[in-house]
Structure formats: structure tokens, C-alpha cells
Amino acid sequence: MLASITPSPLSRAAIADYAERVAEKHHIFVNGESADIESLVDSLGGTIEVSESFVSPEALTVRDRRDFTVHLPALTSHRRDRFTIAHEIGHYFLHYLQPKVTGPKDFGRGSRNTAETQANYFAGALLMPEKRFREAWEKCGGDSWSVADLFGVSKSAASVRAQTLRLR
């Protein structure tokens, strides 16, 4: 069983700022609107593994700094996987690097708690930075499907981001 995760003391605004600074530092928006999330994992020293099992959970295994694996289930869409990867990167930054944890730590997914909400918020800001998102939202006339296409995320992820930015 996975140990519980201590939530980050950062506010939502600070989490969003942190995620956007990570995106900027690692230049994940080189080509267009969609973040190169896979290259970010690679540049951070991580790997991505797709499970061969149909019932594998999304999760993160950190062995140490610059040594982690994002685990993806076998039957999810590319857009869903992108958000999952960003979510797990959120755990890595907010619940491993920022509190200066050392050594191995596992992060599961599926629970509803503050740490999971924080990782989701980080993921949304990482994949859809506020300024870019607001511009895309206006350009697409508030159409969640069109905005989702620009950022390579699900309609649900784009809708939630619009709600958190109070565009809906």
C-alpha cells in the first residue's frame, strides 16, 4: 500500500506559477500550442512506461532525483496520457523535489485528496499556461473542443482549466 502524500504548502496561484516556470525553463512550447511533455520527462531524468496489463493504475515511481518512471495504463488515449504524465510531474515537483524528499517514493493515483488536486492543478497549468490558454480561449470563441485540440488535451481538461481561470 502506498503511503499518504503530504500536500504542498503552496497556494493554487503559487502552484500555477511553479508549473509555468517549469514549462518556461524546459522550453516545452517550442512548436505551437501543445507542450512537449515527453521531452520534459526525458530532460528531468525520467522515463515513461505503458503497462502490459489492462488494469494497471496510473502512477509515479521515484527512485531518486532525476530517476523516476511515469506508469501509464495500456488502454487510455494519447490526450489522457499527456495529462497523466503532467499530473505525475506535478507530484514529482510538488511532493518530492519541493519538500526535498530523498530516496525512493511511490505515488499512486485515484484518491481524492489535496495532494491529488494539487497535482491536477499543476498539470493543467503546465500543459495550458494561463496567458496562452486565455488567448486560445478567445481565439476559439470559448469552444472547449477547439481549445483542447490546440493544447493536445481532452475536452474535459480544457473545460476544467477554463473553469479554474473563471472563463466559464
Side-chain angles (χ1 to χ4, degrees):
M1 184 164 177
L2 298 172
S4 68
I5 303 167
T6 302
S8 170
L10 298 176
S11 68
R12 271 191 167 189
I15 289 170
D17 182 61
Y18 191 10
E20 291 186 21
R21 283 187 288 126
V22 167
E24 274 182 40
K25 179 179 180 185
H26 293 278
H27 308 286
I28 67 172
F29 287 98
V30 176
N31 299 318
E33 299 289 339
S34 183
D36 188 349
I37 201 74
E38 292 86 359
S39 290
L40 176 59
V41 170
D42 187 54
S43 72
L44 294 171
T47 58
I48 300 168
E49 288 184 3
V50 177
S51 174
E52 293 178 14
S53 168
F54 293 121
V55 292
S56 173
E58 299 141 329
L60 173 68
T61 301
V62 181
R63 288 167 291 285
D64 210 339
R65 292 172 190 272
R66 301 200 47 79
D67 184 11
F68 64 91
T69 303
V70 175
H71 304 277
L72 298 174
L75 296 175
T76 50
S77 71
H78 178 69
R79 289 177 183 221
R80 171 71 180 144
D81 290 346
R82 286 172 46 75
F83 194 87
T84 298
I85 293 164
H87 172 97
E88 301 306 345
I89 290 171
H91 279 309
Y92 182 65
F93 277 96
L94 295 170
H95 308 122
Y96 191 83
L97 294 179
Q98 191 248 341
K100 298 182 179 165
V101 173
T102 57
K105 185 164 176 85
D106 291 319
F107 298 87
R109 181 144 172 160
S111 302
R112 288 187 176 264
N113 58 44
T114 302
E116 289 299 308
T117 300
Q118 289 176 333
N120 281 338
Y121 200 77
F122 185 98
L126 182 69
L127 293 171
M128 301 170 278
E130 183 173 355
K131 183 175 187 264
R132 286 176 178 268
F133 190 86
R134 287 182 181 281
E135 289 169 358
W137 187 260
E138 187 174 320
K139 178 173 123 183
C140 295
D143 178 58
S144 295
W145 284 107
S146 298
V147 174
D149 284 344
L150 289 175
F151 288 98
V153 298
S154 68
K155 177 189 180 289
S156 175
S159 294
V160 169
R161 186 68 173 142
Q163 287 174 333
T164 61
L165 295 175
R166 298 188 177 166
L167 297 172
R168 302 191 135 218

